Amino acid sequence: MIERPRGTRDFDPAATAKHRHVEGVLRATAASFGFREIMVPTVENLELFTAKSGPGVVEELYAFKDKGGRDVALRPEFTASVIRFYLSELRSLPKPLKLFCVGNAFRYEEPQKGRYREFFQFNAEILGASSLEADAELLALSLTALRQVGLKETEARVGHIGMLRSFLKEAGDRQAAILHALDKKDFEKLKAELAAAGLSHHEETLRTVVGLKGGLEVLDEAGTLLGGEAKPVVDYLTRLRDRLALYGLADAVTFDLGVVRGLDYYTGMVFEIDSPNLGAEKQVGGGGGYTLAELLGGEPVASTGFAIGMDRVILAAEAEEVSMAPPVLDVYVIPVGAPSRAAAMEIVLELRTAGFRVDTDLIGRGPSKNLDFANAVGARLAVILGEKELAGGKVSLKDMGTGEQVELERGNLATGIKERLPPRPTP
Ligand code: HAM
């Protein structure tokens, strides 16, 4: 038996249905916020990701040479591709440009629950709007999308990487390594990196600042600890909260000045959303304001974005017992005896054209086996075509839930089905 590669998964019909359900809800929410979908390649030139994704991502890249000897990599995320696409072809579109994409991404990580080598992201970006309103809109989209899925127990933590970057501006090239140590809360590494940068005297302040978490009061504390340079950020985050209040979401976020993010391109507001039900890999999404266009050789463009990890959203939804109902077959059509087969196909086509989800027997089962099958696949109604009834212009309709069976005029079948079909669980 050939096994699938480690960290990848197969999705059976039930798992795929959950996936598509969540994807549908996220897509619909993004569309309701005026975002438009784009698609970008799964494989990109390696240098797109080595430019500024940070060592975490670079070490985890699925990179290889193609047959032409070019260094390429499977995408570990979407943001770099979106910016590349923007710089080469989308710059003339009206701004702000609100874009989203959905698909698989690859990171060569140590697999565990909620952490895979192939995983699925829903990614949204606003380009060309350097404004607090854009940051708020983006945060609001991520929070609303998760609420629309049905998650109630997620926690959004908002910080600002600009605060730490300006405090650490003397660290020069070592700033990224210091921020990584803070992101991983690796205080041994932090100590070493600060020492190497000659900034050991900042250790205590940094450790205190990244431990600040709560309401508006923690912003004041950070202002006191970091001095006047932190003031613009304190003002920004305070006004961001006011803006979120207009969406009814002011209470949906906690300030957390320890949000550093694993990717190197962030420069502004940063946020992470956790589900408390997921154990070690609890982060269901994250993002913030970033600078990437210049690093890819283009004109600067104000950028803010986030990605939601759909696999983790599904795990969180399962933990919260949120329904992600698999699609159900509306009608299963059962011909009884060979002469009914043509009439069965006529009914199948008629109902499919009317928009129902319809299946019929393909392997010549008898009526009771067919009813068992309809039951097993979750059909909501069965149409039974006995020869005698058909000759009299009648058909039987069975409700698979209640077991109730009625005889209808053949001409009234579609109406009868419409009347009996409880609304299909919608995303
Ligand atoms: P990220 O935090 O690296 O951000 O990934 C976003 C989400 O993808 C994570 O919160 C997590 O739910 C999910 N995720 C990441 N790695 C894995 C994995 N190995 N297995 C399962 N899920 C995973 C970004 O990717 C940025 N591009 C977000 C962004 C967009 N920032 C600005 N624009």
Side-chain angles (χ1 to χ4, degrees):
M1 285 291 277
I2 299 171
E3 287 181 9
R4 55 174 188 251
R6 196 160 132 75
T8 65
R9 287 155 298 153
D10 297 307
F11 293 80
D12 65 16
T16 305
K18 285 182 182 177
H19 212 92
R20 294 289 177 237
H21 168 81
V22 166
E23 195 177 305
V25 174
L26 298 180
R27 270 209 174 89
T29 315
S32 80
F33 274 62
F35 282 69
R36 288 184 297 166
E37 185 168 2
I38 56 169
M39 303 203 294
V40 291
T42 316
V43 61
E44 292 270 12
N45 284 316
L46 174 64
E47 62 182 340
L48 179 67
F49 305 116
T50 48
K52 196 66 180 179
S53 292
V57 165
V58 174
E59 279 160 25
E60 290 164 359
L61 280 174
Y62 266 91
F64 50 96
K65 281 199 193 295
D66 70 6
K67 287 186 178 169
R70 287 169 289 261
D71 286 308
V72 292
L74 300 181
R75 61 185 178 208
E77 55 132 16
F78 287 86
T79 310
S81 302
V82 174
I83 296 296
R84 176 194 51 66
F85 187 19
Y86 167 80
L87 289 172
S88 63
E89 280 165 75
L90 304 179
R91 270 185 310 167
S92 56
L93 293 183
K95 289 191 207 51
L97 200 49
K98 299 166 93 177
L99 303 172
F100 74 94
C101 28
V102 187
N104 53 352
F106 301 83
R107 296 184 191 176
Y108 200 85
E109 302 197 71
E110 214 27 63
Q112 63 180 74
K113 186 182 171 210
R115 195 208 284 167
Y116 312 103
R117 291 185 175 171
E118 181 187 30
F119 60 101
F120 294 82
Q121 278 194 343
F122 171 86
N123 182 89
E125 317 281 351
I126 303 180
L127 304 179
S130 168
S131 70
L132 179 136
E133 286 79 0
D135 275 347
E137 173 89 340
L138 195 102
L139 247 170
L141 169 59
S142 63
L143 296 168
T144 309
L146 294 175
R147 284 192 179 179
Q148 291 291 106
V149 170
L151 295 186
K152 295 198 174 66
E153 295 172 26
T154 53
E155 186 203 15
R157 298 173 289 109
V158 180
H160 201 294
I161 196 81
M163 187 182 259
L164 295 173
R165 286 199 190 279
S166 64
F167 185 65
L168 287 169
K169 60 179 178 301
E170 293 138 43
D173 288 351
R174 295 200 175 267
Q175 193 188 81
I178 297 173
L179 291 174
H180 277 285
L182 284 172
D183 179 40
K184 299 270 176 246
K185 301 273 181 292
D186 181 346
F187 294 121
E188 283 298 305
K189 183 164 177 246
L190 177 69
K191 198 185 204 52
E193 292 293 345
L194 283 172
L199 295 175
S200 294
H201 54 289
H202 282 340
E203 188 185 339
E204 209 185 306
T205 313
L206 271 178
R207 286 182 66 151
T208 313
V209 170
V210 299
L212 290 175
K213 198 175 154 191
L216 288 171
E217 73 287 350
V218 303
L219 299 181
D220 293 335
E221 275 181 62
T224 312
L225 283 161
L226 298 177
E229 281 196 50
K231 186 161 183 331
V233 169
V234 168
D235 288 349
Y236 191 86
L237 291 179
T238 310
R239 286 188 293 121
L240 185 67
R241 195 174 186 278
D242 293 342
R243 180 76 188 179
L244 284 174
L246 302 180
Y247 292 86
L249 292 170
D251 297 329
V253 299
T254 303
F255 292 115
D256 180 351
L257 302 178
V259 178
V260 178
R261 308 284 296 132
L263 296 153
D264 272 359
Y265 46 59
Y266 295 101
T267 45
M269 174 279 290
V270 279
F271 70 98
E272 287 172 352
I273 305 177
D274 298 334
S275 163
N277 301 308
L278 294 189
E281 300 299 328
K282 62 181 172 23
Q283 207 178 103
V284 294
Y290 62 95
T291 307
L292 191 54
E294 298 96 303
L295 298 164
L296 298 180
E299 293 278 301
V301 59
S303 320
T304 184
F306 74 86
I308 285 175
M310 292 200 289
D311 314 272
R312 293 186 191 169
V313 169
I314 290 164
L315 289 172
E318 282 169 351
E320 289 192 33
E321 294 180 2
V322 170
S323 151
M324 294 174 281
V328 185
L329 202 57
D330 293 322
V331 186
Y332 189 74
V333 180
I334 303 176
V336 182
S340 319
R341 295 198 161 264
M345 273 323 291
E346 201 179 286
I347 288 172
V348 166
L349 291 189
E350 177 188 323
L351 296 178
R352 283 181 180 163
T353 308
F356 296 111
R357 296 175 182 175
V358 187
D359 199 3
T360 189
D361 177 36
L362 301 178
I363 55 174
R365 281 191 174 111
S368 79
K369 286 264 162 55
N370 261 327
L371 276 172
D372 290 347
F373 179 77
N375 204 24
V377 295
R380 297 197 286 175
L381 298 172
V383 174
I384 303 159
L385 304 175
E387 277 175 63
K388 241 200 312 190
E389 291 97 318
L390 264 179
K394 308 245 189 226
V395 293
S396 295
L397 187 61
K398 182 174 172 121
D399 185 315
M400 298 301 293
T402 62
E404 185 202 353
Q405 189 164 327
V406 290
E407 209 171 67
L408 296 175
E409 294 290 329
R410 165 69 184 86
N412 292 340
L413 180 61
T415 322
I417 287 175
K418 235 175 254 163
E419 277 165 10
R420 282 169 180 82
L421 219 50
R424 187 185 287 152
T426 46

